[in-house]
Amino acid sequence: MRPAFQPILDFRSRGYLGYEGLIRGPEGTDLHSPAVLFELARVSGQTEVLERICREVIFREFAVLGLPGKLFVRVR
């Protein structure tokens, strides 16, 4: 699992408001696509486990990178 951070811009201040934390599965596999990754989790009854792991990976990497602004993460 690899996090990706999509910048969210604040056009008034012409800077970064923060980043949306996204997740990607292993590169070079069908699971690299989040849609495929989450569909597999859904059909195997592991959606909650996958979502927890995704949050942990995103939070950890955001802290390591020291990105400016807020972190936005989709949750259900």
Side-chain angles (χ1 to χ4, degrees):
M1 304 276 281
R2 184 179 60 81
F5 297 99
Q6 176 72 37
I8 300 172
L9 303 176
D10 181 346
F11 290 107
R12 283 183 242 145
S13 70
R14 297 183 181 206
Y16 292 102
L17 176 62
Y19 293 83
E20 179 181 12
L22 307 168
I23 203 74
R24 300 293 179 263
E27 279 206 44
T29 72
D30 290 342
L31 297 178
H32 182 73
S33 163
V36 174
L37 186 64
F38 279 91
E39 178 60 16
L40 179 60
R42 186 189 69 75
V43 299
S44 63
Q46 298 296 313
T47 302
E48 289 181 26
V49 172
L50 177 61
E51 289 177 347
R52 179 182 50 79
I53 292 168
C54 290
R55 286 190 301 271
E56 289 174 7
V57 168
I58 290 168
F59 294 160
R60 189 177 315 116
E61 187 68 11
F62 187 77
V64 166
L65 293 173
L67 294 171
K70 298 176 182 179
L71 174 61
F72 296 84
V73 179
R74 292 184 198 180
V75 294
R76 292 198 234 185

